[in-house]
């Protein structure tokens, strides 16, 4: 302090000195001064008024809240803050069962050093836990997931809410609940097991129909429905030029997971086809011929073959009909079997890049290869046996090449033949069940009966796959593939037999 007067210092040495000054309601002053010879012997200090209040107390109603100012707790007593600068500050308060409080306050000179906060009772419950039996369900409250998984919701307001629960193989629950003060913070839901079958596949003949179950499309296109409940359902199928089907079905546990529907060509379409065929339309002739061949009786086969012949030999010849004529000669369906005649018709058509003809060309070459092998087995001359075997192998390779070309043009029978080649390591291909399965499944995806049959035969003896094989071959039989029908009858496997129209 000064030695002489209140603010006068005596015998001050030259050099640096620290000067400080304090005054109520003013900020403390501290500054270094340089005392030197000849300087003014008086220094004036300018003090700044203090821009704060020394203490600010904040009380809550009700008492006991945790209070923060600018995110920091009180420095003195539980609710008292020291040296609070003038200006805006953020005050917050929290207390169990009351809504969080947050407000900006303005601190200024001569203000009341005590602030009172009025807290509002909380209109919510802190947590609501939903338990299900069995456990593991997906829970939503007002269509929102739990804040604390798997099933606890926090800060749930009083009032009405919608609660839902879903669990695989159980019926979904959706209900309104009333949240109120003092209620139990835990709810229990009893889930009811769904009575259903896992899949229901609907196959139509001819394939390609639009299928609906209870007005809804399949979950696994083109025709497989999943999680079908036990009970009554309405099944419908529609296909252009065919009569629509609408029928009631009863789904029950343990039932066969596949339904076969045979569509009937609409009378109007069949009448129009017959009229156009009689007027000389070769496309209509071909379709009428194919229609008769599907009816299944020897008389219908003969009528179908005649129509196909007319279509192929008409002035505006239908090349596809020629392929089906050759197919009849190859199989003896509707006419006398004649492999040579089939080849004479097919090879020119195959060379015109007609896919069905290409596939039949491969079949004809395969038949000729088998004949060569039979001749080789019947010969006692080793040199002739070797020649015939080489000729058979060459015919197999040429046949495979036709199937590859036909497959490129999406002929599904060609895919079936290629799958068989891979399955057995024929026609110059390395044996590979993986490659065979790939080609069979492409054909099956397009409702190809031959692919169903050959794949079913490939997997029938594999562990756990016999039922799958039966279902595939049964589908092929329902479509009308003769060798599949024969297999089903020999193995007592049911299939949807088509009645003549």
């Amino acid at each position: 302090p000064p030695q002489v007067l209140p603010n006068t210092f005596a015998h001050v040495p030259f050099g640096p000195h620290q000067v400080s000054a304090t005054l109520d309601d003013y900020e403390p002053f501290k500054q270094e001064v340089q005392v030197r010879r000849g300087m003014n012997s008086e220094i004036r200090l300018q003090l700044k008024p203090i821009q704060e209040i020394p203490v600010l107390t904040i009380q809550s109603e009700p008492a006991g809240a945790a209070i923060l100012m600018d995110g920091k707790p009180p420095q003195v007593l539980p609710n008292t803050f020291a040296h609070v600068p003038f200006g805006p500050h953020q005050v917050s308060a929290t207390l169990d069962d009351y809504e969080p409080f947050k407000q900006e306050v303005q601190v200024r000179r001569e203000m009341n050093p005590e602030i009172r906060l009025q807290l509002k009772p909380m209109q919510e419950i802190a947590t609501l836990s939903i338990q299900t039996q069995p456990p593991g369900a997906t829970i939503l409250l007002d269509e929102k997931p739990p804040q604390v998984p798997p099933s606890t919701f926090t800060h749930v307001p009083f009032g009405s809410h919608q609660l839902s629960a879903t669990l695989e193989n159980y019926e979904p629950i959706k209900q309104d609940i009333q949240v109120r003060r003092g209620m139990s913070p835990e709810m229990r839901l009893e889930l009811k097991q769904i009575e259903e079958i896992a899949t229901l596949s609907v196959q139509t003949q001819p394939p390609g129909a639009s299928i609906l179950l209870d007005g809804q499309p399949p979950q696994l296109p083109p025709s497989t429905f999943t999680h079908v409940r036990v009970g009554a359902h309405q099944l419908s199928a529609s296909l252009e030029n065919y009569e629509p089907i609408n029928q009631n079905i009863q789904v029950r546990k343990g039932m066969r997971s596949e339904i076969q529907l045979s569509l009937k060509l609409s009378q109007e379409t069949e009448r129009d086809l017959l009229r156009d065929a009689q007027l000389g339309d070769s496309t209509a002739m071909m379709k009428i011929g194919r229609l008769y061949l599907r009816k299944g009786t020897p008389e219908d086969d003969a009528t179908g073959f005649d129509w196909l012949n007319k279509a192929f030999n008409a002035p505006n010849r239908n090349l596809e009909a020629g392929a089906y004529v050759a197919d009849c000669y190859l199989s003896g369906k509707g006419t006398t079997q004649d492999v040579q005649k089939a080849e004479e018709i097919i090879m020119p058509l195959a060379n015109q890049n007609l896919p069905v003809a290409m596939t039949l060309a491969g079949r004809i070459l395969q038949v000729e290869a088998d004949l060569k092998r039979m001749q080789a087995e019947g010969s006692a001359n080793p040199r002739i046996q070797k020649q015939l075997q080489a000729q058979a192998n060459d015919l197999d390779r040429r046949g495979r090449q036709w199937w590859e070309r036909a497959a490129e043009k999406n002929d599904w029978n060609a895919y079936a033949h290629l799958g068989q080649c891979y399955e057995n390591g024929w026609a110059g291909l390395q044996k590979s069940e993986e490659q065979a399965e790939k080609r069979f499944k492409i054909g099956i995806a397009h409702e190809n009966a031959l692919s169903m049959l050959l794949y079913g035969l490939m997997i029938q003896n594999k562990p756990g796959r016999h039922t799958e094989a039966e279902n595939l071959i049964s589908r092929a039989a329902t479509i009308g593939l003769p060798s599949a029908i024969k297999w089903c009858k020999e193995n007592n496997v049911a299939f949807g037999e088509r009645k003549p129209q």
Side-chain angles (χ1 to χ4, degrees), residues 69-346:
M69 177 177 284
D70 299 327
K72 297 176 182 177
Q75 299 95 329
V76 188
L77 300 172
N79 299 324
T80 301
F81 299 84
H83 302 293
V84 183
F86 297 154
H89 296 271
Q90 191 79 27
V91 174
S92 62
T94 55
L95 182 63
D96 287 347
D97 299 326
Y98 286 82
E99 293 181 8
F101 180 95
K102 188 173 286 187
Q103 179 180 307
E104 186 179 89
V105 298
Q106 195 73 26
V107 175
R108 58 190 181 279
R109 193 186 304 276
E110 297 176 356
M111 72 177 284
N112 188 336
E114 182 174 300
I115 296 175
R116 301 192 71 82
L117 307 178
Q118 186 67 42
L119 304 184
K120 292 182 179 179
M122 190 175 286
Q123 296 298 308
E124 64 179 32
I125 60 174
T127 62
L128 179 62
S129 178
I130 313 295
Q131 304 298 325
T132 63
Q133 181 57 41
T138 298
I139 310 293
L140 296 178
L141 186 67
D142 300 327
E143 298 186 353
K144 295 178 181 177
Q147 291 87 349
V148 182
S151 59
T152 299
F153 299 85
T154 61
H155 303 294
V156 182
F158 297 154
S160 60
H161 298 268
Q162 189 175 69
L163 180 66
S164 64
T166 55
L167 181 63
E168 189 175 6
N169 298 325
Y170 287 81
E171 293 183 6
I173 287 179
K174 187 172 283 188
Q175 66 183 53
D176 291 330
I177 62 170
Q178 197 71 26
V179 174
R180 58 190 182 279
R181 191 186 304 277
M183 71 178 284
S184 171
E186 183 173 300
M187 293 183 66
R188 301 190 71 83
L189 299 177
E190 190 77 27
L191 302 182
K192 185 178 179 182
Q193 193 166 16
I194 291 175
E195 295 289 326
E196 64 176 29
I197 59 174
T199 61
L200 180 65
S201 178
V202 182
Q203 306 299 326
T204 64
Q205 178 54 33
S210 174
I211 310 292
L212 297 177
L213 186 68
D214 300 327
Q216 300 297 318
Q219 290 86 354
L220 298 176
S223 59
T224 298
F225 300 86
T226 62
H227 305 293
V228 182
R229 294 193 179 192
V230 170
H233 296 268
Q234 188 175 67
L235 182 65
S236 64
S238 58
L239 182 64
E240 188 177 6
N241 298 327
Y242 287 81
E243 293 181 3
I245 289 178
N246 285 292
Q247 67 182 55
N248 294 323
I249 62 169
Q250 194 70 27
V251 173
R252 58 191 182 279
K253 276 200 167 184
M255 71 177 282
R256 188 179 177 87
S257 63
E258 187 172 293
I259 294 176
Q260 306 283 348
L261 298 178
S262 182
L263 302 181
K264 183 179 179 182
L265 196 67
S266 70
Q267 292 182 354
E268 182 182 0
T269 301
E270 188 168 355
R271 190 166 52 246
D272 290 345
L273 277 177
L274 187 57
R275 179 200 63 205
D276 293 343
Q278 290 169 341
L279 291 173
D281 185 329
S282 62
T283 300
M285 294 178 189
M286 183 270 292
K287 290 181 179 179
I288 284 289
R290 294 276 288 156
L291 179 62
Y292 273 98
L293 288 178
R294 290 195 191 103
K295 294 184 179 183
T297 67
E299 295 79 8
D300 288 324
D301 287 347
T303 303
F305 176 76
D306 287 342
W307 275 115
L308 291 171
N309 243 331
K310 289 177 182 178
F312 184 51
N313 294 303
N316 57 334
R317 95 168 24 199
N318 186 287
L319 298 183
E320 190 176 355
Y324 295 130
V325 168
D327 193 18
C328 288
Y329 278 122
L330 192 61
S331 61
K333 189 176 178 72
T335 186
T336 304
Q337 187 176 34
D338 191 331
V339 177
Q340 184 176 348
K341 203 159 191 175
E343 184 173 8
E344 290 172 358
I345 297 171
I346 278 297

Side-chain angles (χ1 to χ4, degrees), residues 365-380:
L365 292 170
Q366 184 186 43
V367 169
E368 292 179 352
D370 289 341
L371 290 172
K372 294 287 184 186
R373 273 186 279 271
M374 289 174 62
Q375 292 171 10
E377 290 173 2
S379 174

Side-chain angles (χ1 to χ4, degrees), residues 428-440:
L429 293 176
Q430 186 174 353
K431 185 174 181 177
S432 169
E433 287 197 357
E434 181 182 354
Q435 291 297 325
E437 181 179 54
K438 179 179 178 181
R439 283 153 182 83
F440 288 144

